[in-house]
Amino acid sequence: SSRTIPELQQLTQKQMISDLSDMQKILSPTAEDSSVSSDLFKTQGTILKDPEPASILAELKSKLKDNFPDPPKVNTQIKYVQKSMENYLSPAFYMIPAIDNSAENVIYINQGHLPDDLSLFTTLAHEGYPGHLYQTTYFYGKEPSPIRKLFGFSGYSEGWGTYAEIYAYRLAGLDDKMLQLNELNKTYTLALYCLTDMGINYEGWTLEDTEEFLGIDKETCREIYEMMVEEPALYLAYYGGYLEFVELREKAMETLGEKFDLKEFHTFLLDMGPAQFEIIEDRMEDWMEGP
């Protein structure tokens, strides 16, 4: 991104306030609809017909066709993190395949960090379809220059994974209010972590500063603080990258109007592959002008 840290801080704060306002509107009972409450944010339990990871991944893959290009045929193993490692690893992660064999892929799931099947559904969207696995194998299938398989652009990859994860809520069969609440809660939480990340690693916040900002218990705050110190700028890739994709989509929609097609837009991004967002935006100008 070409944004400075202060610019990203300002944008993140603006988006976070907007998300919070939108959530409050949905959660506030009205005469027309008083059935929605904040209990929706408690553990969801089981809402999917088939919560098995392999079934979820297959379902996500089958739902790509309307708004994404066809995925390549690949083999995917879903494995579980060992119990002894659950406290130290993320909820799930996708193993980048060998550069000369992208047909063999592995996703690891951490059962200790996935409290319900909706979380598993969106996590597999982030790591699988239409997230990391799909984006990586699709791009490799375009036979790019081999050197491009060696470059890493975390804003693109984690931004796309986050974009895919949030997109997945609309694939889970939720009603409109649940869909909106889950999307807003996810983006609000990421924005909050992003601001905390910048506060600690750019502004130099102490643990006490972080406690004051988050307003949570000391033990949880210490865990967050230490995580941010260990991996500075981690959440900038997730949330900042996500915002970049959303802004590219909004710009394309505004420019193309009725000619905008979501599937064509996603195809452009995936064909483009991992790169700096300034380059992607520049190429998008040519794409919007057409041949």
Side-chain angles (χ1 to χ4, degrees):
S1 173
S2 59
R3 290 190 178 93
T4 63
I5 293 295
E7 288 172 341
L8 183 57
Q9 285 176 315
Q10 186 176 15
L11 178 60
T12 301
Q13 289 171 343
K14 180 181 177 181
Q15 289 295 123
M16 189 172 72
I17 292 170
S18 175
D19 288 346
L20 182 60
S21 175
D22 288 341
M23 280 193 287
Q24 289 174 334
K25 290 176 183 177
I26 296 172
L27 291 168
S28 298
T30 64
E32 291 79 18
D33 185 0
S34 59
S35 63
V36 181
S37 74
S38 60
D39 286 345
L40 289 173
F41 286 122
K42 292 183 178 179
T43 300
Q44 301 289 339
T46 303
I47 66 170
L48 304 179
K49 292 181 180 179
D50 188 347
E52 287 298 316
S55 299
I56 292 173
L57 199 63
E59 180 183 356
L60 285 164
K61 185 177 180 181
S62 71
K63 292 182 176 180
L64 293 179
K65 59 184 179 181
D66 290 337
N67 291 317
F68 295 87
D70 293 338
K73 294 181 180 180
V74 299
N75 301 317
T76 305
Q77 295 184 62
I78 297 176
K79 299 183 178 182
Y80 290 94
V81 170
Q82 292 181 350
K83 191 75 176 177
S84 60
M85 296 297 293
E86 287 182 352
N87 292 335
Y88 309 102
L89 296 174
S90 57
F93 51 93
Y94 166 65
M95 303 291 288
I96 299 295
I99 62 174
D100 60 348
N101 186 16
S102 60
E104 301 298 328
N105 295 267
V106 178
I107 292 175
Y108 274 90
I109 296 174
N110 185 346
Q111 292 179 298
H113 286 275
L114 293 170
D116 51 68
D117 60 4
L118 181 59
S119 298
L120 177 58
F121 188 88
T122 56
T123 298
L124 283 171
H126 184 119
E127 305 298 339
Y129 296 99
H132 294 320
L133 184 154
Y134 171 61
Q135 178 270 316
T136 300
T137 57
Y138 178 90
F139 183 62
Y140 282 16
K142 305 300 288 186
E143 297 184 355
S145 171
I147 197 171
R148 292 200 65 188
K149 296 181 180 181
L150 301 178
F151 291 149
F153 297 93
S154 58
Y156 180 101
S157 59
E158 294 303 347
W160 177 263
T162 304
Y163 180 89
E165 181 177 350
I166 294 169
Y167 178 88
Y169 284 114
R170 69 186 70 182
L171 304 177
L174 305 175
D175 63 50
D176 288 345
K177 284 188 171 62
M178 282 286 288
L179 168 61
Q180 294 173 49
L181 282 169
N182 277 285
E183 287 181 337
L184 289 166
N185 185 52
K186 184 64 180 181
T187 53
Y188 174 84
T189 302
L190 284 170
L192 185 66
Y193 271 54
C194 192
L195 285 176
T196 305
D197 192 336
M198 289 185 282
I200 293 170
N201 295 300
Y202 179 74
E203 300 287 352
W205 288 359
T206 62
L207 177 58
E208 289 72 24
D209 295 327
T210 309
E211 289 176 1
E212 183 178 353
F213 175 72
L214 293 175
I216 56 178
D217 65 274
K218 290 186 177 182
E219 183 178 350
T220 303
C221 187
R222 179 177 289 278
E223 290 178 3
I224 294 172
Y225 182 85
E226 291 177 352
M227 177 181 67
M228 299 292 183
V229 171
E230 289 173 2
E231 297 188 76
L234 176 66
Y235 280 91
L236 276 65
Y238 285 81
Y239 187 71
Y242 165 75
L243 289 179
E244 293 283 358
F245 282 116
V246 170
E247 290 195 347
L248 287 171
R249 185 181 63 196
E250 290 176 349
K251 181 176 182 179
M253 291 175 66
E254 182 180 349
T255 302
L256 297 173
E258 294 182 356
K259 294 181 179 180
F260 176 81
D261 182 277
L262 186 58
K263 184 173 184 176
E264 291 181 2
F265 172 70
H266 288 156
T267 301
F268 159 74
L269 292 175
L270 292 162
D271 285 348
M272 181 72 191
Q276 293 99 330
F277 284 106
E278 298 95 320
I279 294 176
I280 296 172
E281 186 173 9
D282 179 70
R283 298 296 190 275
M284 193 174 79
E285 295 288 345
D286 297 333
W287 172 75
M288 290 189 295
E289 291 178 2

